[in-house]
Amino acid sequence: MKDSLLYYRVGPLLYCPANNESIAGSIITGRFGCHYSLALCLEDTIRDDHVPEAEAALISSIKKIHGAASLSRFYIPWIFIRVRTPEQIFALLCSLGKAAGLITGFIIPKFSLENADGFIDAVTAVNRSSEQRFYMMPIFESPTIVHLQSRYDILYRLKDKLDSIEEYVLNIRVGGNDLCRYFGLRRHSNESIYGIRPVSDILSDIITVFGADYVVSGPVWEYYQGDGWESGLKNELNEDRLCGFVGKTVIHPNQIEFVNSAYKVEKKDYEDARAVLNWNPACDSLVSGSSGRERMNEYKTHDSWALRTVLLSQAYGIK
């Protein structure tokens, strides 16, 4: 299990097309608050014949933020670029110059056995040639992981590849909508992705393979207005958290506060977690009633949960 706060701090990851010309101004003016990360997308949100223009817009936005940061203080989120190819990683960092210091890492779409080596080699190379660390966040959304016959083998082979550069893998991400697309399915605002069993099973398998060694982020929720979107998001966030996901991809600023609230730690959980972590292993008994005397704490059983809970409290706060 990841035992560093770093991996839990991505939080709500706000997706934005890279050609959005207003994004720099929104960050500089603090429009989205101060507890989120940002993904600038050059892939699905950009037409294939508009990629050069989107790259130019992205470079302009990052340089504008970099220039403004030299004149005044404001919250700068962790910024990730969702690229199409390994070659884009080198080209963008070169074009950004000093402003590349604002880039936390790169999001790898449709991560699969077919593209894994190229992206891993690119991330390794840019880290070897730079004093700054650049992270990667692969997205598991490729149709290749849908088929049961090969899913387990593919997931474990991909894990072996990522384990070789584990220090550069900040989060594992999942593409809920892409997986739903394969089956021609879409949830309404009063439904959860966990009710779509073929997709839910894939998400469960990803957690099973990666959840013990990596922080895995929850799938996107596509509703941000209209009847029931808030209660639907809250419900799915509760299920995300219960199933082992941390954080969530968001597609609208309205969703940010809900993700941050969902991952705040209940006070009684925090107190029990501290009690477990501070347990005296020399004590004759390794079991005790909780702080509220309503459940049982076990030193040997709840140690991983306790560490995760404390890290979440540091990343999101305590209710």
Side-chain angles (χ1 to χ4, degrees):
M1 194 192 87
K2 290 294 185 185
D3 58 0
S4 170
L5 177 61
L6 172 76
Y7 301 95
Y8 296 83
R9 287 183 54 207
V10 177
L13 180 64
L14 178 62
Y15 256 67
C16 176
N19 59 1
N20 184 329
E21 296 181 355
S22 68
I23 190 64
S26 295
I27 291 175
I28 293 168
T29 59
R31 178 186 168 199
F32 306 138
C34 57
H35 194 173
Y36 69 98
S37 297
L38 177 68
L40 295 175
C41 180
L42 287 166
E43 202 233 359
D44 281 350
T45 61
I46 304 298
R47 280 174 41 178
D48 293 344
D49 58 345
H50 279 204
V51 174
E53 292 86 351
E55 289 177 333
L58 182 152
I59 292 165
S60 175
S61 295
I62 299 299
K63 287 186 175 181
K64 189 177 296 184
I65 297 168
H66 185 262
S70 66
L71 301 175
S72 62
R73 295 185 63 182
F74 53 89
Y75 174 75
I76 301 177
W78 281 355
I79 299 175
F80 300 88
I81 302 175
R82 176 168 166 151
V83 292
R84 289 177 172 234
T85 66
E87 292 75 24
Q88 261 185 331
I89 293 175
F90 299 103
L92 289 169
L93 290 179
C94 182
S95 298
L96 284 168
K98 292 182 179 180
L102 295 183
I103 304 302
T104 303
F106 298 90
I107 298 170
I108 313 304
K110 299 171 181 61
F111 191 67
S112 65
L113 292 175
E114 289 69 33
N115 64 21
D117 290 339
F119 280 113
I120 287 172
D121 289 346
V123 170
T124 302
V126 296
N127 277 289
R128 284 177 178 168
S129 62
S130 173
E131 294 182 1
Q132 176 183 345
R133 174 164 290 192
F134 295 100
Y135 293 96
M136 67 180 289
M137 296 199 295
I139 310 179
F140 286 81
E141 57 187 351
S142 169
T144 60
I145 63 172
V146 169
H147 302 291
L148 280 172
Q149 255 185 332
S150 55
R151 182 189 306 162
Y152 304 140
D153 177 62
I154 289 172
L155 289 177
Y156 279 107
R157 287 172 66 187
L158 288 173
K159 185 175 186 295
D160 286 341
K161 290 179 181 294
L162 290 176
D163 286 349
S164 68
I165 60 159
E166 183 259 347
E167 62 185 311
Y168 301 137
V169 182
L170 192 60
N171 278 183
I172 302 293
R173 310 200 72 83
V174 295
N177 282 352
D178 279 73
L179 294 173
C180 285
R181 176 193 178 196
Y182 181 86
F183 297 100
L185 301 173
R186 187 179 191 181
R187 63 201 187 278
H188 293 108
S189 62
N190 63 342
E191 298 169 328
S192 163
I193 200 167
Y194 299 98
I196 306 176
R197 289 302 300 273
V199 176
S200 176
D201 288 347
I202 298 172
L203 299 180
S204 177
D205 290 341
I206 292 171
I207 284 287
T208 299
V209 174
F210 292 92
D213 298 314
Y214 295 89
V215 172
V216 186
S217 180
V220 67
W221 175 261
E222 59 190 332
Y223 297 92
Y224 56 88
Q225 283 185 352
D227 293 339
W229 79 270
E230 295 167 313
S231 59
L233 175 55
K234 288 179 181 178
N235 177 58
E236 187 165 288
L237 280 164
N238 286 336
E239 294 188 80
D240 285 342
R241 189 167 42 80
L242 186 61
C243 291
F245 294 98
V246 175
K248 197 172 185 68
T249 298
V250 301
I251 44 80
H252 194 278
N254 286 353
Q255 300 174 337
I256 292 174
E257 64 175 296
F258 290 92
V259 178
N260 284 325
S261 176
Y263 283 94
K264 283 187 176 180
V265 172
E266 294 283 353
K267 188 171 184 292
K268 63 181 180 181
D269 282 341
Y270 177 77
E271 291 173 347
D272 283 355
R274 295 303 309 182
V276 170
L277 293 178
N278 292 328
W279 211 296
N280 180 3
C283 181
D284 290 339
S285 175
L286 297 180
V287 62
S288 175
S290 65
S291 60
R293 294 294 184 259
E294 59 188 19
R295 62 183 177 182
M296 178 182 68
N297 286 334
E298 287 188 84
Y299 172 75
K300 288 186 175 180
T301 302
H302 296 129
D303 54 340
S304 294
W305 167 85
L307 176 58
R308 181 187 179 96
T309 298
V310 169
L311 289 168
L312 286 172
S313 75
Q314 293 171 354
Y316 292 93
I318 300 173
K319 291 183 182 179

